[in-house]
């Protein structure tokens, strides 16, 4: 709440569908708080099935502010797959984009919203709650994402782990109230949520969202148009950005100060193209898991960046390699 009070008159969340100041977010939280109290319990799971947008970010922040646990679901999945997943999630209720899933069959109460986060309809269902269905104590967020396995699974992230990551990355990426973070990775992805959105938000910076799943060939323009200073990309998106820059004869994104690249093998070609796109930026590559968030990083300020390394463990992180029996090698 301190970030919102401090940024009352500043646009903190923006996109093609809406923009919100700190005061706007506070008003929205107050307006929908009765819905949360009626449909969910303290520490109860609230599903969020909204494409990457200010509305998705607003739903996550509201859920956390109400003392509930957001379960962030990949909004690019087919309806049939989502319905199978919902049957296993033990959600108190679901916030869903009416445009993306107009006929979704949900086993729990459903709040349908538009892409700006406005309430469209409400469908309530009576559930038998039991304490055994609550997430474990200390859980702040659940990411329902496939990660590298291809099979979506709910990963419970602790409040302590997120606080550590946010504090560490604010310092590492030099984030502050002047930061403009262009968020093109979905918020169901740990890079999008924990390595970019939350650190920027808690540093008092602004987040500009782009739904890259629908327009991969507009990512670079969105970075330039939003005047982004902090960007996070998986390695293969570098190619889309580079192709777009050449095809449209666009200028380099000179305002970008930090670029983080992760989420797959990072080759020399990725680093070379990233330097062409972001000539003034410190380029970072790193390694992490959904469960462990961000484990290690290395930047272009280190001569070993171009070696096959994921860098050194971040402060406070311990890395071990174990055999199939669990013994340290």
């Amino acid at each position: 709440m301190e970030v919102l009070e401090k940024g009352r008159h500043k646009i903190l969340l923006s996109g093609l569908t809406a923009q919100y100041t700190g005061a706007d977010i506070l008003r929205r939280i107050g307006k929908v708080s009765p819905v949360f109290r009626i449909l969910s319990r303290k520490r109860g799971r609230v599903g969020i099935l909204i494409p990457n947008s200010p509305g998705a970010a607003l739903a996550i922040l509201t859920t956390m502010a109400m003392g509930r646990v957001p379960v962030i679901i990949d909004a690019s999945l087919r309806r049939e797959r989502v319905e199978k997943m919902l049957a296993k999630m033990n959600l108190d209720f679901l916030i869903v984009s009416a445009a993306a899933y107009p006929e979704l069959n949900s086993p729990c109460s459903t709040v349908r919203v538009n892409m700006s986060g406005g309430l469209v309809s409400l469908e309530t269902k009576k559930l038998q709650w039991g304490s055994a269905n609550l997430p474990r104590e200390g859980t702040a967020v659940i990411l329902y994402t496939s990660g590298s396995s291809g099979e979506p699974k709910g990963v419970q992230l602790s409040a302590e782990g997120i606080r550590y990551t946010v504090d560490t990355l604010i310092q590492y990426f030099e984030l502050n109230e002047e930061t403009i973070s262009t968020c093109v990775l979905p918020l169901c992805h740990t890079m999008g949520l924990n390595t970019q959105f939350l650190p920027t938000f808690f540093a008092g910076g602004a987040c500009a969202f782009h739904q890259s799943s629908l327009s991969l060939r507009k990512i670079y323009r969105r970075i330039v148009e939003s005047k982004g200073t902090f960007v996070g990309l998986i390695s293969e998106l570098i190619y889309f950005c580079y192709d777009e820059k050449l095809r449209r004869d666009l200028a380099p994104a000179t305002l970008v100060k930090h670029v983080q690249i992760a989420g797959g093998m990072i080759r020399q070609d990725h680093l070379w193209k990233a330097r062409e796109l972001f000539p003034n930026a410190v380029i970072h590559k790193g390694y992490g898991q959904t469960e462990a968030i961000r484990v290690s990083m290395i930047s272009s300020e280190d001569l070993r960046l171009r070696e096959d390394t994921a860098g050194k463990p971040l402060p406070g992180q311990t890395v071990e390699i174990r055999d199939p029996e669990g013994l340290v090698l």
Side-chain angles (χ1 to χ4, degrees), residues 59-101:
I60 293 167
L61 294 175
T62 302
T63 302
M64 296 173 77
M66 292 300 299
R68 276 64 173 171
V69 177
V71 180
I72 308 171
I73 309 165
D74 186 351
S76 68
L77 297 175
R78 295 176 61 86
R79 178 176 59 82
E80 295 81 5
R81 193 173 189 186
V82 170
E83 289 176 345
K84 288 182 180 179
M85 291 164 54
L86 290 175
K88 305 173 183 178
M89 287 186 182
N90 293 320
L91 300 178
D92 285 13
F93 76 96
L94 173 69
I95 306 173
V96 60
S97 168
Y101 296 97

Side-chain angles (χ1 to χ4, degrees), residues 165-166 169-170 173 175 193-205 230:
T165 301
V166 165
L169 296 185
I170 284 174
F173 292 122
L175 307 178
L193 181 74
N194 297 312
T195 316
Q196 190 167 17
F197 166 50
L198 290 180
T200 301
F201 176 79
F202 284 107
F230 178 39

Side-chain angles (χ1 to χ4, degrees), residues 151-316:
E151 185 61 35
K153 54 191 178 297
V155 178
Q156 300 185 55
L157 300 176
S158 70
E160 181 181 359
I162 290 177
R163 277 196 299 269
Y164 158 77
T165 301
V166 165
D167 290 343
T168 300
L169 296 185
I170 284 174
Q171 293 185 34
Y172 187 89
F173 292 122
E174 302 176 307
L175 307 178
N176 54 42
E177 295 176 359
E178 303 300 317
T179 298
I180 298 175
S181 186
T182 308
C183 301
V184 300
L185 297 176
L187 293 176
C188 65
H189 194 295
T190 184
M191 273 185 70
L193 181 74
N194 297 312
T195 316
Q196 190 167 17
F197 166 50
L198 290 180
T200 301
F201 176 79
F202 284 107
C207 295
F209 292 89
H210 174 71
Q211 197 176 338
S212 57
S213 60
L214 294 182
S215 48
L216 284 170
R217 298 190 181 277
K218 293 183 180 179
I219 292 174
Y220 188 67
R221 270 171 286 174
R222 182 60 178 148
I223 293 170
V224 174
E225 290 166 1
S226 66
K227 299 181 179 179
T229 64
F230 178 39
V231 177
L233 297 168
I234 60 173
S235 52
E236 293 308 300
L237 290 183
I238 296 289
Y239 289 130
F240 283 94
C241 290
Y242 191 76
D243 176 69
E244 182 184 351
K245 180 181 182 299
L246 292 181
R247 185 165 35 86
R248 296 274 179 175
D249 192 25
L250 300 173
T254 55
L255 296 180
V256 177
K257 297 178 180 178
H258 291 276
V259 178
Q260 53 154 337
I261 310 172
M265 181 66 72
I266 302 168
R267 297 183 291 273
Q268 296 290 335
D269 197 34
H270 292 126
L271 298 175
W272 178 79
K273 285 179 166 59
R275 175 54 66 212
E276 291 286 311
L277 293 165
F278 312 107
N280 298 332
V282 179
I283 296 172
H284 310 263
K285 65 177 183 177
Y287 169 76
Q289 299 167 307
T290 302
E291 296 84 350
I293 309 179
R294 182 58 63 224
V295 175
S296 65
M297 297 283 279
I298 187 171
S299 80
S300 54
E301 296 177 333
D302 191 317
L303 295 177
R304 294 168 294 180
L305 176 76
R306 295 185 179 275
E307 298 176 6
D308 291 332
T309 174
K312 293 182 178 180
L314 291 169

